[in-house]
Amino acid sequence: MAFFAAHFFFVGVVSCRELFWFLSQGRTIFPHSFNSYWAKAEDLGSSILLQNPGAPTTLRKSVTTYVHLAGVESGYGFFAPNVPGTCKLVFELHYPDGRTESRVPGVSSNASGLRVATLLDKIGRPEYDSLREVIIKMLASAVRREHSDATMIRAVFGVVMLPTAEEFQHGVRESSEFLYSYDFDFQPVGPKQPNP
Amino acid sequence: MRRIEFWKQRLIGFLFPPESDNWLALLRFGLGLQVILYSLSIRKDWACLLAGKGGLISRNLSETVIALESSLIPRVGWIVALGGHFGLSEESILSIIWYSLVTACCLLLLGLFSRAAAIATWFLHLAAVKSADLFSYGMDNLTTIGLFYLMLSPLPDRRSLDWQRRKSRPQHRDLLGFWRRVLQTQMCLIYFFSGIAKCLGPGWWNGINLWRALTRPPFDLISADTLVRFKYLLPIAGVAVWTLEIGYPFFVWHRRLRRPWLIAVLLMHVGIGITMGMYLFASIMIVLNLAAFGPGILWHQRQVADDGTAARKSLAPSPNN
């Protein structure tokens, strides 16, 4: 019975914390003036889960380990509260003879394609700001392995904006919004030059 | 005091109802099949998703991020390091992990060495998911949840080969009931929070979010030209989705409504699978729903005779009473 109480306490707090995070981001049916209160509630959830820096390390790591082992480390807000635009990454391969061609990160199956789409959506989020460049560079290197004569790869990262049903009926189609681009020079091996 | 005792007994009755193992057989078989499908779906890209070098994203990146949270979370890197001591290459070890995972799942399907197979499946699946954390999504977490409960449940069940081999083994029916309650509670919380999170978004009231979900690559299996003909149904369908989800923890216990509610939720997942191509997500939700609430609601389940291990009778509403 203690297991039941403790386990579902964690599940409940993790889920509430995610719910408060959604609310604190705005774009819900609640007024924006409430956002700061939701952010405080989210912080409280983190504190209860011992995720704040002041929590004892051993306890914090024990809780973190348990929720990961049980698969309950994240909430259940699938496609909620809003469905975002889908992120897209296109590589522009430049060859020494002046040719260019476009490639997208390639995988063999639809199931893997769904995982790559998940990755792109993740790195489009602000919390992945610090990792985005590194991940895109790794993806560019994977493309380079298949096109070893390419001397420069420009990675263009953006989000596909979808029209509403009404807009679609009036002829509006999906459009892309540019977010970031990175140039990776492979001749000689040199540092990237970000062009945000 | 008498009132406290009454509620205590009621709670114990709810948490430990004598239960048959039909649900456990379903969970074991369903999860075995689910993880086999998962493994097959990414077979060709397995090395590409999990390689330390030469893949899409280095496994080391995901593992470093995970290790910052806790060094005890399973990961493929442990097995690669272990294999390295025996002179095995990373590529060989990744193949061995894939075949081991599929073998463990086949044992689960058969019910042979059920407990060991459940632990191995949980560990290998979790290690693969955590090492490719950047590629993981909700379906992976739901599979981990199912495998975690399966591993801790009182295996083997009567339909397993283990049971046929050792017929005299007693079954802990109150424990079977407890772990079914755990799974049922988990499902109720999943749907409740998923529904609440959806109804907070204005787009789930006016059909915009459903339109976006169905037209958003890579889920755009139905062409927008076809979908737009049904645009007046989208607000109704959007509200129906979160109503079904929020209502699940309440109506799945209701004597008259539990059957239609569960069928509606199952149909919703079939719909998600067909219209959005999220086959694995649909199948794991169907497996977990069927195991949690199927026996006793969707099909008749024989009442369990108390064999002495079930000390308490359920006082709470249950799919079986």
Side-chain angles (χ1 to χ4, degrees):
Chain A
M1 207 185 288
F3 163 81
F4 187 92
H7 179 76
F8 286 109
F9 174 76
F10 288 135
V11 175
V13 176
V14 167
S15 302
C16 285
R17 187 179 62 165
E18 187 191 71
L19 208 58
F20 291 132
W21 182 80
F22 287 144
L23 287 161
S24 69
Q25 298 301 301
R27 298 169 68 185
T28 64
I29 54 177
F30 287 97
H32 288 282
S33 54
F34 286 19
N35 289 3
S36 59
Y37 298 111
W38 301 128
K40 282 179 188 164
E42 188 209 345
D43 286 344
L44 179 66
S46 295
S47 301
I48 293 171
L49 289 168
L50 305 169
Q51 300 301 301
N52 53 345
T57 310
T58 314
L59 271 178
R60 187 177 74 234
K61 295 216 167 179
S62 303
V63 171
T64 304
T65 306
Y66 177 76
V67 293
H68 277 275
L69 297 186
V72 296
E73 77 276 14
S74 58
Y76 308 104
F78 310 120
F79 287 112
N82 294 297
V83 180
T86 189
C87 290
K88 196 171 179 180
L89 178 64
V90 177
F91 294 110
E92 222 175 73
L93 280 69
H94 294 253
Y95 294 95
D97 59 4
R99 269 186 310 125
T100 60
E101 61 176 314
S102 296
R103 284 283 178 272
V104 291
V107 280
S108 304
S109 65
N110 288 340
S112 304
L114 176 58
R115 290 179 181 279
V116 172
T118 304
L119 167 78
L120 297 181
D121 288 342
K122 278 182 184 174
I123 62 174
R125 295 178 201 156
E127 60 263 34
Y128 280 85
D129 279 348
S130 55
L131 281 180
R132 189 178 303 117
E133 286 182 32
V134 178
I135 292 171
I136 291 178
K137 187 172 186 181
M138 285 180 179
L139 291 169
S141 300
V143 170
R144 172 95 197 312
R145 278 195 294 274
E146 292 170 11
H147 304 271
S148 52
D149 46 343
T151 50
M152 198 273 277
I153 295 180
R154 174 167 294 154
V156 181
F157 188 77
V159 62
V160 177
M161 309 300 285
L162 301 165
T164 63
E166 282 73 25
E167 288 169 342
F168 184 84
Q169 274 188 316
H170 289 98
V172 180
R173 294 295 178 264
E174 65 178 43
S175 57
S176 296
E177 186 183 300
F178 168 84
L179 292 178
Y180 312 96
S181 87
Y182 304 92
D183 288 352
F184 302 106
D185 196 349
F186 292 98
Q187 184 202 28
V189 178
K192 78 224 176 291
Q193 296 135 25
N195 304 323
Chain B
M1 280 303 278
R2 192 173 284 181
R3 199 165 180 79
I4 293 172
E5 188 59 29
F6 169 78
W7 283 107
K8 188 181 164 192
Q9 286 304 318
R10 207 173 153 83
L11 180 66
I12 291 171
F14 174 77
L15 290 178
F16 297 93
E19 181 64 75
S20 84
D21 58 6
N22 291 337
W23 73 274
L24 187 58
L26 240 163
L27 186 67
R28 171 179 59 76
F29 192 85
L31 287 176
L33 198 59
Q34 173 75 21
V35 182
I36 286 178
L37 293 175
Y38 154 84
S39 307
L40 291 175
S41 75
I42 55 171
R43 172 68 188 119
K44 287 182 184 168
D45 298 305
W46 181 258
C48 182
L49 296 174
L50 287 169
K53 278 183 185 174
L56 270 182
I57 303 247
S58 170
R59 182 189 73 237
N60 301 331
L61 182 64
S62 289
E63 293 191 349
T64 305
V65 174
I66 290 290
L68 286 175
E69 292 194 49
S70 167
S71 54
L72 296 173
I73 299 168
R75 65 204 73 155
V76 167
W78 290 354
I79 308 169
V80 171
L82 185 68
H85 290 302
F86 299 99
L88 293 168
S89 68
E90 183 189 71
E91 199 182 343
S92 311
I93 294 164
L94 289 179
S95 288
I96 291 169
I97 292 172
W98 190 88
Y99 282 108
S100 304
L101 183 58
V102 172
T103 306
C105 291
C106 291
L107 291 174
L108 264 189
L109 282 178
L110 296 169
L112 199 57
F113 309 113
S114 304
R115 175 85 59 202
I119 294 170
T121 307
W122 165 80
F123 178 81
L124 293 172
H125 174 266
L126 186 61
V129 166
K130 292 301 170 191
S131 291
D133 193 47
L134 288 162
F135 295 102
S136 69
Y137 61 105
M139 182 275 293
D140 298 311
N141 271 60
L142 293 163
T143 309
T144 303
I145 289 171
L147 289 168
F148 182 73
Y149 294 151
L150 179 70
M151 176 179 74
L152 297 175
S153 295
L155 290 162
D157 56 84
R158 273 169 214 270
R159 287 175 171 76
S160 65
L161 287 180
D162 283 335
W163 186 269
Q164 306 299 324
R165 291 193 308 159
R166 289 175 285 175
K167 281 185 179 167
S168 60
R169 189 171 173 148
Q171 260 196 320
H172 303 282
R173 286 175 175 155
D174 49 350
L175 271 182
L176 278 166
F178 173 75
W179 284 105
R180 190 177 185 197
R181 281 284 187 261
V182 169
L183 184 59
Q184 289 172 334
T185 308
Q186 178 74 58
M187 296 308 289
C188 288
L189 287 173
I190 287 173
Y191 282 113
F192 180 73
F193 281 103
S194 177
I196 290 283
K198 283 190 180 75
C199 88
L200 292 175
W204 280 103
W205 293 76
N206 55 21
I208 286 179
N209 276 356
L210 203 56
W211 164 266
R212 288 170 74 90
L214 291 167
T215 55
R216 183 179 192 268
F219 308 121
D220 53 341
L221 296 192
I222 302 175
S223 79
D225 291 306
T226 307
L227 199 62
V228 79
R229 288 182 213 157
F230 303 97
K231 72 169 189 173
Y232 297 107
L233 290 177
L234 294 175
I236 301 165
V239 171
V241 166
W242 60 256
T243 305
L244 265 180
E245 293 189 336
I246 294 176
Y248 185 96
F250 305 103
F251 296 116
V252 82
W253 303 100
H254 190 276
R255 194 175 290 275
R256 287 191 181 163
L257 289 177
R258 61 197 183 192
R259 190 182 169 98
W261 211 272
L262 183 60
I263 290 172
V265 166
L266 291 172
L267 288 176
M268 177 181 79
H269 289 299
V270 171
I272 289 171
I274 293 171
T275 59
M276 298 173 74
M278 298 179 77
Y279 308 114
L280 287 173
F281 184 82
S283 58
I284 186 65
M285 291 311 290
I286 290 169
V287 165
L288 294 178
N289 267 297
L290 286 180
F293 289 103
I297 291 185
L298 292 183
W299 57 87
H300 180 68
Q301 185 172 241
R302 273 187 303 170
Q303 286 293 325
V304 178
D306 197 332
D307 63 354
T309 57
R312 296 159 287 269
K313 289 279 185 187
S314 175
L315 298 171
S318 154
N320 295 325
N321 54 25

